[in-house]
Amino acid sequence: MEKLFINGEWVTTQSSEYLYSPYTEEKIAEIPIAKEAEVNLAIDGAFKAKNSWARTPAHEKASILEKLSKLYEKNLEKAAEIIAMESAKPIRLAEMEVSRTIQTFKFAAEEAKRIHGETIPLDAAPGGERRVSYTIREPLGVIGAITPFNFPLNLVAHKIGPALASGNSIVLKPARQTPLSSFYLAELLEEAGLPKGVFNVVTGHGSVVGDLLVMDSRINMITFTGSPEVGVGIRNKAGLKKVTLELGSNAAVIIDKDTEVNKKLIDRCITGAFSNNGQVCISIQRMYVHENIYDKFAEQFIEAANKLKIGDPLDSDTDISALISKRELEDRLSWIREAKESGAEIATGGKEEGTVLCPTVILEAENRLKVSCQEAFAPIVILNKVKSAAEAIHFVNDSRFGLQAGIYTKDIETALEAVDKRGVLINDIPTFRVDHMPYGGVKESGIGREGIKYAIEEMTEMKLIIWNRN
């Protein structure tokens, strides 16, 4: 049985549950279920460790993060196999996730050395003469991190890396479906020399572990990635605690009339729509294609989708594997049925193959349908015809979400019009992300920003110091 990692010790619990492979549906591990006592022990350990870690020199924090990144380089295959086994992410993509995680921790190590404030010329105001003023940034204290299943390592790294770099201690609650990557992270942090209590991993039910983290006064901030419904609940319960929420989306891309339909474009859009089985917050779910090139684009896109290989996530040739649970599979099949019954055309897919939802392309789906207005988090993409870029921009923005969008166009005025309405990627898919860029949404896509430097700003507080020389 796996164990909780609390205050530098591996702790056995009285309760546990089995973890099953999403692809084979076989048992792969026994996972501890923390009760209130274990959660309190973890919070207490982090609380006691926070002051000494905050005072640790920046170069020492950076050194531990650098060692951690090197340990992942050394153990890349093992870390990738854990991801593939617990989440059914195809192994090639799991290896890419570990590679990105290495970069994420390297960025965190670098940013640990350049957390700084600024001087303020108080004599710019009458009465401010002969005063020296500057700001510094201090860690908040204890960070409660609640993470999702779809990137069980790198999305954890986006919370742990900046928290450690900025001098905060952490209690992590990983997704119940994918805790193994977090346990392995704890092993490697221990090997890297992280002091006891600074990092803790507690698995269990959100109603117990999550609620205790959100409402405990010793926790200074909650950083959460997950559904809007849970995110809103966290914010309502957190009181004056600082909260960063990375929530849902139904990301869209516009293909304007002047776009050349070629293999490069099709391959890029296929990646955006079906990578990680579509379980990406910025996965392409909606495509709006100008009527002049719609038929040509649709034909090539559907043909490419049909070539994706379905299978075992541990097979290096696999492109598409199982969704995280049978329940999610059945739910998304009902969405597809709703679209078909409403007159949309299921151009390909729309069916299951074992535990896998086949890559699904839906043509001319109405905006009110679940596949259009909710977050699918599955290998489902709608492909709709538009008469103009302006019409497409309207459809893109007609959403409760606002994370990232893409537009392919050669017209600078069209691009500027799209940028005026929201943040977009010009001549690229919305699924693009590198780990040091600011990342976050508006509306029901969340509040706050990730990306190491920007997450550090969220996880620190500005302090003002004024010296009166009179």
Side-chain angles (χ1 to χ4, degrees):
M1 177 176 144
E2 301 288 341
K3 299 179 181 180
L4 305 175
F5 189 67
I6 297 176
N7 201 24
E9 305 292 336
W10 293 95
V11 177
T12 303
T13 60
Q14 293 182 345
S15 300
S16 64
E17 64 183 5
Y18 287 111
L19 184 68
Y20 295 86
S21 161
Y23 180 68
T24 65
E25 298 183 306
E26 297 174 352
K27 292 177 185 177
I28 54 176
E30 188 177 358
I31 305 301
I33 300 297
K35 301 297 184 182
E36 184 173 346
E38 286 95 6
V39 180
N40 279 322
L41 280 174
I43 296 172
D44 191 54
F47 186 79
K48 289 176 179 176
K50 69 173 186 173
N51 290 335
S52 61
W53 181 244
R55 291 192 298 266
T56 300
H59 70 86
E60 292 185 19
K61 297 189 192 88
S63 177
I64 289 172
L65 288 162
E66 286 165 359
K67 288 176 184 175
L68 179 62
S69 68
K70 289 177 182 176
L71 286 169
Y72 271 112
E73 288 176 348
K74 180 181 177 182
N75 296 281
L76 189 149
E77 289 185 4
K78 179 178 179 180
E81 286 176 3
I82 291 171
I83 293 170
M85 181 173 59
E86 66 181 348
S87 71
K89 177 173 293 190
I91 189 68
R92 287 183 291 106
L93 299 178
E95 289 169 353
M96 289 172 61
E97 180 174 349
V98 180
S99 295
R100 279 187 58 187
T101 300
I102 292 165
Q103 287 295 318
T104 300
F105 284 127
K106 284 183 178 179
F107 283 130
E110 293 164 4
E111 290 296 338
K113 302 174 185 178
R114 46 185 182 236
I115 300 171
H116 58 83
E118 62 180 353
T119 58
I120 302 169
L122 294 183
D123 61 355
E129 297 86 350
R130 294 190 57 76
R131 284 173 171 80
V132 176
S133 177
Y134 58 93
T135 63
I136 60 175
R137 299 203 72 91
E138 293 187 333
L140 294 176
V142 182
I143 306 292
I146 304 174
T147 56
F149 68 82
N150 58 321
F151 285 85
L153 181 56
N154 198 40
L155 288 184
V156 170
H158 269 282
K159 301 182 186 305
I160 304 311
L164 293 177
S166 55
N168 294 283
S169 57
I170 307 123
V171 181
L172 168 66
K173 181 201 173 298
R176 286 176 65 188
Q177 305 98 319
T178 55
L180 301 180
S181 291
S182 294
F183 290 136
Y184 190 51
L185 171 60
E187 288 181 35
L188 295 187
L189 274 171
E190 194 175 24
E191 188 176 344
L194 188 69
K196 290 186 176 183
V198 177
F199 179 63
N200 305 267
V201 181
V202 185
T203 52
H205 301 287
S207 58
V208 177
V209 180
D211 282 358
L212 286 170
L213 292 180
V214 171
M215 293 186 284
D216 194 294
S217 61
R218 293 168 293 178
I219 301 285
N220 303 97
M221 176 184 177
I222 295 293
T223 173
F224 168 80
T225 300
S227 72
E229 293 74 21
V230 175
V232 170
I234 286 173
R235 194 174 188 189
N236 289 339
K237 295 173 184 175
L240 295 178
K241 197 181 267 92
K242 196 168 185 180
V243 174
T244 295
L245 304 174
E246 297 294 337
L247 307 177
S249 183
N250 59 350
V253 66
I254 298 168
I255 314 294
D256 201 10
K257 60 184 177 183
D258 55 8
T259 306
E260 182 182 354
V261 179
N262 55 27
K263 187 177 185 301
K264 181 179 179 182
L265 173 67
I266 296 298
D267 287 350
R268 189 75 177 131
C269 290
I270 287 288
T271 296
F274 300 119
S275 180
N276 195 25
N277 312 322
Q279 296 171 131
V280 183
C281 289
I282 44 179
S283 175
I284 299 175
Q285 184 174 328
R286 299 178 293 150
M287 306 183 76
Y288 299 102
V289 183
H290 194 278
E291 60 185 3
N292 289 3
I293 58 172
Y294 178 86
D295 290 341
K296 182 177 182 181
F297 181 90
E299 180 183 358
Q300 293 186 27
F301 185 82
I302 294 164
E303 182 182 356
N306 286 331
K307 291 179 180 178
L308 294 172
K309 181 178 178 182
I310 293 169
D312 188 334
L314 294 174
D315 183 342
S316 61
D317 292 329
T318 294
D319 298 306
I320 301 287
S321 192
L323 292 179
I324 194 64
S325 71
K326 191 75 172 178
R327 175 182 166 186
E328 293 296 315
L329 170 62
E330 292 169 354
D331 195 43
R332 296 310 176 266
L333 286 169
S334 74
W335 288 22
I336 295 167
R337 286 193 297 271
E338 178 198 53
K340 185 176 182 180
E341 290 165 3
S342 297
E345 178 186 349
I346 313 303
T348 189
K351 60 185 179 180
E352 59 188 304
E353 190 172 301
T355 55
V356 179
L357 176 61
C358 297
T360 300
V361 181
I362 302 175
L363 306 183
E364 300 300 332
E366 297 177 10
N367 287 351
R368 64 178 178 81
L369 297 173
K370 292 185 179 71
V371 292
S372 300
C373 66
Q374 297 188 30
E375 182 177 37
F377 228 59
I380 300 172
V381 61
I382 68 167
L383 184 55
N384 285 4
K385 185 187 300 182
V386 292
K387 295 180 179 179
S388 67
E391 182 184 21
I393 291 169
H394 168 75
F395 285 136
V396 170
N397 289 319
D398 184 21
S399 172
R400 44 191 271 238
F401 301 109
L403 191 47
Q404 291 186 175
I407 181 169
Y408 281 85
T409 183
K410 294 179 181 177
D411 187 277
I412 190 169
E413 290 299 326
T414 299
L416 289 172
E417 179 68 16
V419 170
D420 187 52
K421 299 296 183 184
R422 63 178 295 157
V424 299
L425 289 90
I426 310 298
N427 294 322
D428 204 356
I429 56 176
T431 324
F432 175 82
R433 184 183 182 185
V434 288
D435 296 291
H436 61 299
M437 73 185 220
Y439 179 81
V442 296
K443 297 193 279 189
E444 290 188 37
S445 288
I447 54 174
R449 292 293 179 268
E450 291 194 342
I452 306 302
K453 172 188 172 184
Y454 307 95
I456 285 173
E457 291 176 359
E458 302 278 358
M459 294 177 175
T460 55
E461 190 119 54
M462 181 187 293
K463 177 185 280 188
L464 174 68
I465 297 98
I466 302 175
W467 291 67
N468 186 349
R469 298 176 62 194
N470 292 327

